[in-house]
């Protein structure tokens, strides 16, 4: 049982480059989330998708876009990467009706030079 | 003011002692409350959830919620070196879940 799978696990970008982080879950969960984690900052919500076909901004959405491709997949795109986006990114999912009980992927470490 | 506040620590306790971790939140509409544990270099994992005022016990862990004071706590009894990790308090408001910055706990053998 894979749970939540994120790719890639590591990525180095140059300022201005674009990339997409992929996330897929096999638990038939309705809600999916993207967080970033920086030292001393905890997890900050970037975007979330309550259900297939909907997306909403979280605490720190600037510089990011998301796509809820289907119930399983939720991608995060950086159109023009900046050094301030250097972080560890976590995708998570939760079952409808149990908001807050999140299952996390292993994380994607992104460095922007 | 951050929506979810935690003392960043580190909190250091000897093996076998009780570790007490605290969290306050700002939105009175918050509905559900959670504690996650995160080992260094790993992803967070849910260890406790609490939805109503009072205490909830699960093994060595007890979560306490006081909605009037907007306060959540986690007690770890008989602390073990394997409990050394960062503990993240999380609060759900609707579909969103907001996390505190986390408290680092060290349990000394």
């Amino acid at each position: 049982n894979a749970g939540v799978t994120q790719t890639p696990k590591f990525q180095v970008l140059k300022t201005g480059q674009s990339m997409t982080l992929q996330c897929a879950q096999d638990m038939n969960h309705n809600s999916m989330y993207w967080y970033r984690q920086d030292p001393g900052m905890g997890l900050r919500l970037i975007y979330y998708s309550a259900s297939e076909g909907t997306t909403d901004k979280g605490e720190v959405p600037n510089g990011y876009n998301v796509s809820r491709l289907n119930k399983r997949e939720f991608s995060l795109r950086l159109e023009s990467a900046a050094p301030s986006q250097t972080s560890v990114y976590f995708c998570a999912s939760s079952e409808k009706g149990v908001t807050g009980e999140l299952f996390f992927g292993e994380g994607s470490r992104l460095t922007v030079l | 003011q951050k929506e979810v506040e935690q003392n960043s620590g580190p909190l250091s306790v000897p093996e076998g002692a009780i570790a007490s971790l605290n969290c306050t939140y700002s939105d009175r509409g918050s509905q559900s409350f959670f504690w996650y544990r995160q080992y260094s270099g790993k992803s967070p994992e849910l260890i406790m959830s609490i939805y109503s005022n009072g205490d909830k016990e699960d093994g060595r862990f007890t979560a306490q919620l006081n909605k009037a004071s907007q306060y959540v706590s986690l007690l770890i009894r008989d602390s073990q070196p394997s409990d050394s990790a960062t503990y993240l308090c999380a609060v759900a408001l609707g579909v969103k879940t907001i996390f505190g910055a986390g408290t680092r706990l060290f349990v000394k053998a």
Side-chain angles (χ1 to χ4, degrees):
Chain A
N1 188 352
V4 180
T5 303
Q6 292 181 231
T7 56
K9 289 187 169 41
F10 299 94
Q11 184 73 50
V12 179
L13 291 177
K14 295 181 180 178
T15 297
Q17 288 185 317
S18 62
M19 76 158 298
T20 299
L21 297 175
Q22 307 284 357
C23 176
Q25 51 91 10
D26 62 3
M27 296 175 283
N28 201 36
H29 286 172
N30 285 289
S31 301
M32 298 186 73
Y33 308 80
W34 276 106
Y35 289 88
R36 62 177 288 175
Q37 187 171 38
D38 303 295
M41 301 289 288
L43 290 160
R44 291 186 291 170
L45 182 63
I46 305 171
Y47 270 94
Y48 64 99
S49 172
S51 61
E52 185 179 355
T54 69
T55 61
D56 285 286
K57 295 178 180 179
E59 301 170 277
V60 289
N62 291 344
Y64 305 95
N65 286 301
V66 291
S67 295
R68 183 74 183 267
L69 304 170
N70 47 55
K71 190 172 186 178
R72 291 187 62 249
E73 299 173 287
F74 188 39
S75 63
L76 178 71
R77 183 162 179 83
L78 287 70
E79 291 291 352
S80 179
S84 60
Q85 295 178 304
T86 293
S87 189
V88 179
Y89 292 84
F90 287 101
C91 178
S93 69
S94 69
E95 189 177 355
K96 182 178 181 181
V98 283
T99 301
E101 295 189 6
L102 304 179
F103 292 81
F104 284 87
E106 293 185 340
S108 299
R109 184 174 293 274
L110 175 65
T111 301
V112 183
L113 303 176
Chain B
Q1 181 189 5
K2 282 179 61 81
E3 292 189 51
V4 181
E5 301 251 20
Q6 294 182 255
N7 187 326
S8 62
L11 174 65
S12 184
V13 300
E15 184 175 359
I18 296 175
S20 178
L21 305 164
N22 304 314
C23 171
T24 58
Y25 61 95
S26 61
D27 195 322
R28 287 194 174 273
S30 301
Q31 300 152 325
S32 313
F33 307 87
F34 307 88
W35 285 98
Y36 285 78
R37 178 177 61 200
Q38 186 176 26
Y39 292 113
S40 181
K42 302 295 185 182
S43 55
E45 58 177 330
L46 179 67
I47 56 171
M48 289 290 287
S49 56
I50 186 165
Y51 301 95
S52 55
N53 280 329
D55 295 359
K56 178 182 178 182
E57 186 174 317
D58 184 359
R60 295 186 295 111
F61 298 99
T62 299
Q64 300 174 316
L65 173 61
N66 183 325
K67 288 187 177 181
S69 300
Q70 297 175 247
Y71 178 87
V72 193
S73 67
L74 179 69
L75 299 178
I76 306 175
R77 291 182 300 281
D78 189 23
S79 295
Q80 301 297 309
S82 59
D83 294 326
S84 297
T86 296
Y87 290 80
L88 299 163
C89 174
V91 174
L93 182 62
V95 182
K96 291 194 305 183
T97 300
I98 303 299
F99 285 79
T103 299
R104 293 178 63 195
L105 173 66
F106 291 104
V107 181
K108 298 175 293 185

